[in-house]
Amino acid sequence: MAKLHRLLFLLAALYAGLLPVSAGAANLTVGQPAPPLLLHTLDGQQIATNDLVGNVVIVTFWATWCGPCHEELPLLSDYAAAHAQRGLKVLAFSLDGPDALAEVRAMAGKLSFPVGLLGSAWAGGYGRIWRVPVSFVIGRDGRLVDNGWDDHEPSWTVRRLEQIVTPLLPVKD
């Protein structure tokens, strides 16, 4: 019985933010294969990162209540639309719950890429998503190119996109 009480106490402390939680996934390493993710889009489709090998993929996590996300998403949408013909794909995972679906749909309707609800704070090999926005870049070979947990300025800017993503895209003819 004491073990159960200790477990419940630890879980409550973790939930309340009193215990530290690892910021990212321990085995998430640039140059290694990117962990697979499956986006269940708002329109009922499923898109797996493993099925996008051959493209450059940005996986981004956001929420309707995140101020920086409201600035970042339109910029990322414009960049994605401008570079789609060069093999760029963006998958956007909202951390919002089903109760905010109308707000998520409203924001998603303005974006050039698919959006879905993450469903929980855990994103497989990417770890617990504890801050937003946070993004990860996967190269054409399926390997992680940019680990969002390591980014000191996690929001996308034109400069960051040009530095990190543009070099991965083929030159336009």
Side-chain angles (χ1 to χ4, degrees):
M1 189 64 144
K3 285 184 182 181
L4 179 60
H5 282 82
R6 179 169 161 66
L7 177 63
L8 290 174
F9 172 79
L10 290 173
L11 289 174
L14 182 65
Y15 181 74
L18 300 175
L19 293 177
V21 177
S22 173
N27 60 350
L28 195 60
T29 306
V30 170
Q32 295 300 310
L37 275 176
L38 179 65
L39 178 70
H40 297 276
T41 66
L42 297 178
D43 63 0
Q45 297 186 29
Q46 294 184 18
I47 305 170
T49 55
N50 287 347
D51 292 339
L52 299 176
V53 172
N55 295 282
V56 173
V57 180
I58 297 174
V59 174
T60 190
F61 297 92
W62 64 281
T64 58
W65 42 263
C66 164
C69 297
H70 284 267
E71 295 174 24
E72 175 187 83
L73 288 172
L75 177 118
L76 186 55
S77 181
D78 291 345
Y79 183 85
H83 295 87
Q85 295 298 327
R86 295 170 67 189
L88 177 62
K89 305 287 184 189
V90 176
L91 301 180
F93 293 82
S94 172
L95 270 64
D96 291 282
D99 56 321
L101 188 56
E103 293 171 75
V104 173
R105 284 188 188 282
M107 285 183 71
K110 300 172 187 170
L111 303 176
S112 65
F113 44 77
V115 171
L117 298 178
L118 183 58
S120 81
W122 294 97
Y126 296 88
R128 179 179 173 269
I129 307 301
W130 60 274
R131 75 169 190 221
V132 288
V134 65
S135 299
F136 303 86
V137 180
I138 303 170
R140 293 181 184 280
D141 60 358
R143 295 182 181 277
L144 191 68
V145 173
D146 185 67
N147 180 350
W149 296 126
D150 295 339
D151 294 331
H152 297 293
E153 298 289 329
S155 293
W156 285 114
T157 62
V158 171
R159 184 172 162 263
R160 272 192 74 231
L161 287 164
E162 291 294 333
Q163 286 178 335
I164 296 169
V165 181
T166 302
L168 304 172
L169 301 171
V171 178
K172 272 187 172 176
D173 293 333

